[in-house]
Amino acid sequence: MRFLLTDEQREFARSLDTLLTAADTPAVVRAWAAGDHGPGLGLWRRLAEAGVFALAVPEAYGGVGPLPVETAVAFVELGRHGVPGPVVESVAAAVLLGAVGGPGAGEWLPGIADGTAVASLALEAYGPYALDADVAEAVFVVAGDELRPARAPGRPAPSMDPARRLFRPEAAGAAVASGARVREAATAAGTWATFATAAQALGCGEALLRATVAYAKQRTQFDVPIGSFQAVKHRLADTLLGLEFARPLLYGAAVELAEDAPGAGAAVAAAKVAAGEAAYAAARTALHLHGAVGYTEELDLAWWLRRARPLRDAWGTPAACRARVLTG
């Protein structure tokens, strides 16, 4: 199969790139990590106006989805620009609520679609933590076959990325729904969360590679740019290959999700492994070639370096995703 993005999808990516470039997302990330969520929530609303969160919300609830390909396009850009917040979790919560239906879907899905409601989510199969639950108007947990609303405790758990605050949510009410439909909806939501995280990781890797190539052209040794050294060229080429091999797996998984194919879960897991490992390799290359300055916050690069490994492991570690591919 030969797959290319349509002109409309490419224009969607360009429009998000323009929006996020103008928003100075590195400054937004720094503010978010410092506990100032105002700039990030302002950016959230602008992304909602661009239609990002409506992509996973069914039309019956004010969305336009589910549209996996467009979701991949959007989340690659969100990852490339380092947008903070529970963007993946809001999309997964939309998938969960859309599949479960009932009063909870009618209450929360329109707000998720238009950006007035930030949601976070914890699924038992993926660990106990909900990202940035202290910022979310709605936090949901699925344990066993029960879907419950939750609240965030006072303190976050330690995190490698200060802009990714992890909370162990506590149930705060009666079950919204229970039974087999909750288990099926949780499986679908987990698959979408894995998928959106893979797209974020690919975008993060692209940003790291772009910054490293630019630096290799500027930094000199023996009076020549280090980018002219064959060893550096090979390292950068290997990094690019990893990202480019991950890209068709991501969009192939999007097509399978759109068609609700039986192997969609395994395809998403394969994309997550490839994109997560490629992003982590891009971070290692970036740190190696930047040298000691890469460790410091003097460069915005530090925030992308801190994010690559958490994205690799979030919503399915490489080992878990490989196991899913083998059993898929």
Side-chain angles (χ1 to χ4, degrees), residues 178-204:
S178 61
R181 63 175 179 158
V182 171
R183 289 194 297 272
E184 294 171 0
T187 298
T191 297
W192 270 75
T194 303
F195 171 68
T197 304
Q200 266 194 317
L202 179 61
C204 178

Side-chain angles (χ1 to χ4, degrees), residues 105-324:
E107 179 181 2
W108 291 107
L109 284 177
I112 292 175
D114 66 18
T116 57
V118 177
S120 192
L121 174 69
L123 300 179
E124 187 177 46
Y126 294 88
Y129 297 109
L131 181 67
D132 293 315
D134 59 329
V135 183
E137 284 84 9
V139 182
F140 301 98
V141 294
V142 175
D145 61 357
E146 289 190 340
L147 168 61
R148 291 179 176 271
R151 60 182 176 82
R155 291 186 178 182
S159 174
M160 182 178 295
D161 180 358
R164 289 176 57 86
R165 296 159 56 85
L166 301 173
F167 291 85
R168 188 186 291 265
E170 301 168 349
V176 175
S178 61
R181 63 175 179 158
V182 171
R183 289 194 297 272
E184 294 171 0
T187 298
T191 297
W192 270 75
T194 303
F195 171 68
T197 304
Q200 266 194 317
L202 179 61
C204 178
E206 288 180 349
L208 286 163
L209 178 60
R210 181 176 298 183
T212 307
V213 169
Y215 186 73
K217 293 178 179 179
Q218 297 172 359
R219 180 183 171 190
T220 61
Q221 193 170 18
F222 308 118
D223 296 325
V224 296
I226 64 170
S228 65
F229 300 153
Q230 189 175 52
V232 173
K233 291 179 180 180
H234 287 177
R235 186 72 182 265
L236 293 171
D238 288 343
T239 303
L240 176 62
L241 281 174
L243 295 168
E244 289 305 315
F245 273 111
R247 192 183 312 280
L249 288 176
L250 176 69
Y251 285 109
V255 172
E256 295 213 25
L257 276 178
E259 297 175 350
D260 198 20
V268 167
K272 177 61 163 50
V273 170
E277 296 285 26
Y280 186 50
R284 291 169 63 90
T285 297
L287 188 56
H288 184 191
L289 296 185
H290 277 81
V293 72
Y295 283 101
T296 72
E297 292 188 13
E298 179 182 343
L299 298 181
D300 292 332
L301 178 82
W303 297 97
W304 277 257
L305 288 172
R306 289 169 172 170
R307 184 156 298 182
R309 184 166 181 175
L311 288 178
R312 185 194 69 170
D313 295 338
W315 292 105
T317 63
C321 288
R322 287 188 176 96
R324 189 171 186 183

Side-chain angles (χ1 to χ4, degrees), residues 28 32 37-49:
V28 174
W32 192 276
H37 299 127
L41 293 176
L43 179 57
W44 188 287
R45 288 187 288 272
R46 295 179 64 188
L47 290 170
E49 291 171 0

Side-chain angles (χ1 to χ4, degrees), residues 3-167:
F3 178 80
L4 293 173
L5 295 176
T6 65
D7 291 341
E8 290 79 7
Q9 290 162 345
R10 292 178 185 276
E11 181 55 36
F12 182 42
R14 284 192 291 268
S15 67
L16 289 177
D17 179 44
T18 300
L19 185 159
L20 293 169
T21 300
D24 188 14
T25 49
V28 174
V29 174
R30 290 175 184 273
W32 192 276
D36 179 6
H37 299 127
L41 293 176
L43 179 57
W44 188 287
R45 288 187 288 272
R46 295 179 64 188
L47 290 170
E49 291 171 0
V52 170
F53 301 111
L55 295 172
V57 176
E59 293 183 15
Y61 297 99
V64 296
L67 296 175
V69 176
E70 286 75 8
T71 299
V73 169
F75 275 76
V76 168
E77 291 301 318
L78 298 189
R80 194 159 65 82
H81 286 273
V83 174
V87 288
V88 167
E89 289 69 21
S90 283
V91 164
V95 172
L96 177 72
L97 293 171
V100 170
E107 179 181 2
W108 291 107
L109 284 177
I112 292 175
D114 66 18
T116 57
V118 177
S120 192
L121 174 69
L123 300 179
E124 187 177 46
Y126 294 88
Y129 297 109
L131 181 67
D132 293 315
D134 59 329
V135 183
E137 284 84 9
V139 182
F140 301 98
V141 294
V142 175
D145 61 357
E146 289 190 340
L147 168 61
R148 291 179 176 271
R151 60 182 176 82
R155 291 186 178 182
S159 174
M160 182 178 295
D161 180 358
R164 289 176 57 86
R165 296 159 56 85
L166 301 173
F167 291 85

